[in-house]
Amino acid sequence: RSVYPLILSKMLMRLTKPTLFTNMPVTCEDRDLPGDLFGRLMKEDPSTIKGAETLMLGEMLTLPQNFGNIFLGETFSSYISVHNDSIQVVKDILVKADLQTSSQRLNLSASNNAVTELKPECCIDDVIHHEVKEIGTHILVCAVSYTTQAGEKLYFRKFFKFQVLKPLDVKTKFYNAETDEVFLEAQIQNITTSPMFMEKVSLEPSMMYNVTELNTVDTGDEGTSTFGKMSYLQPMDTRQYLYCLKPKPEFAEKAGVIKGVTVIGKLDIVWKTNLGERGRLQTSQLQRMAPGYGDVRLSLEMIPDTVNLEEPFDITCKITNCSERTMDLVLEMCNTRSIHWCGVSGRQLGKVSPSASLTLPLKLLSSVQGLQSISGLRLTDTFLKRTYEYDDIAQVCVVCPYMSRET
């Protein structure tokens, strides 16, 4: 008998799903000395699949033989049992389970109420659950306090130490478009030793943006995933996800606000491992380096893809005051070797308040075929006598409509 009336299970029983049993098939040719002995033994083995005895995978399930790996984002479940190993009744038994991490201590006990009494050879059982949110060393502290028949109050603790590993490696890249759109590329790598079923990978945008997922191909009523029907990620494989974020209408006109935005949103990743064990990770808020547009930003609202040689075409520009002061702007249009502006150069555009914008329709033509770059716009702030130059604003394809086809 134990010196103490109560004992705590000597090992921590982690509640996990079983695994498929695998065997190691041993075969030989009929002309070898064992003959068909190995073949008959494998057919008689209850763990093999009938008709496919040489496959390693069987039809039986195996209970966990060790503690196994615990990954960030999974739910840690454990069974705790306190057994009265004495011949006397003990009273006021209180079982407490705490999880100590590198930054905090969490109480995982389902109930903090003491059990009135525990008879000999009886048990107090408890199942605890915890969604793991930190990597590194974790210590499960199980404490038991009780009172003996003699009125003596006793107390003991046991510690169970385990490591929490990182299941995924997530890398992000940002691409800033001229239209205030932001493209996010997320590279997700499975760094575990078993395959994962990627149930969901989504982007939760910040309050200033709407998001569009670019990971499906439209094939009718429903889009088809670019990764196929079975979304499995093998060990050490990497998958790339793409998202497009657009400013909400109420923020699109506020150039100063959009300019200063660095928080884009966070990724929400849900996966399943063997036999449907689910894990979930949310990244911290993703940040990007906001593009610098200077005091005045010029962007294109409308431009044709293809134009005819020596024929005027229209474009629409948007001028935004990104500074904190009012500007009085003058527009100058300078011709280049291939691009010729139509209209009056040096005209007054008027005063533009901070974060305000104005739309400017312009007409021009190209005298050279091919892919031509639109350049030559100059904006001058008359208050500070400062000139802003805008070259290589966009490109347009120039074709000749008079070219006859050779027969």
Side-chain angles (χ1 to χ4, degrees), residues 268-287:
D268 187 14
I269 307 170
V270 180
W271 71 90
K272 290 182 179 178
T273 54
N274 294 336
L275 297 177
E277 290 181 284
R278 175 173 292 189
R280 181 184 181 185
L281 278 182
Q282 277 192 333
T283 65
S284 57
Q285 290 288 348
L286 302 177
Q287 296 183 343

Side-chain angles (χ1 to χ4, degrees), residues 12 14 16 67-77 130 132 134 136 138 162-167:
L12 175 66
R14 181 188 172 198
T16 57
F67 197 81
N69 294 325
I70 300 178
F71 293 101
L72 183 68
E74 294 183 342
T75 299
F76 169 71
S77 299
H130 173 67
V132 182
E134 295 183 41
H138 287 56
F162 60 92
Q163 293 288 331
V164 174
L165 307 177
K166 184 180 176 182

Side-chain angles (χ1 to χ4, degrees), residues 1-21:
R1 289 292 179 178
S2 173
V3 175
Y4 294 100
L6 297 186
I7 63 170
L8 187 67
S9 298
K10 293 183 180 179
M11 61 178 294
L12 175 66
M13 183 179 293
R14 181 188 172 198
L15 299 179
T16 57
K17 298 288 182 68
T19 57
L20 290 172
F21 176 78

Side-chain angles (χ1 to χ4, degrees), residues 325-339:
R325 56 185 174 81
T326 301
M327 292 184 172
D328 188 14
L329 298 177
V330 175
L331 174 66
E332 295 181 12
M333 299 180 293
C334 304
N335 295 333
T336 64
R337 185 182 66 86
S338 59
I339 294 297

Side-chain angles (χ1 to χ4, degrees), residues 213 215-229:
E213 293 192 12
N215 305 308
T216 57
V217 179
D218 293 333
T219 57
D221 296 337
E222 296 183 358
T224 302
S225 172
T226 55
F227 309 111
K229 295 181 179 180

Side-chain angles (χ1 to χ4, degrees), residues 12 21 26 40 43 67 85 101 117 121 134 142 162 181 214 240 308 333 347 379:
L12 175 66
F21 176 78
V26 180
R40 286 189 285 107
K43 289 181 180 180
F67 197 81
D85 199 40
T101 69
E117 65 175 21
E121 301 300 330
E134 295 183 41
C142 298
F162 60 92
E181 293 178 341
L214 304 179
Q240 294 171 305
N308 292 331
M333 299 180 293
R347 60 171 164 153
L379 290 173

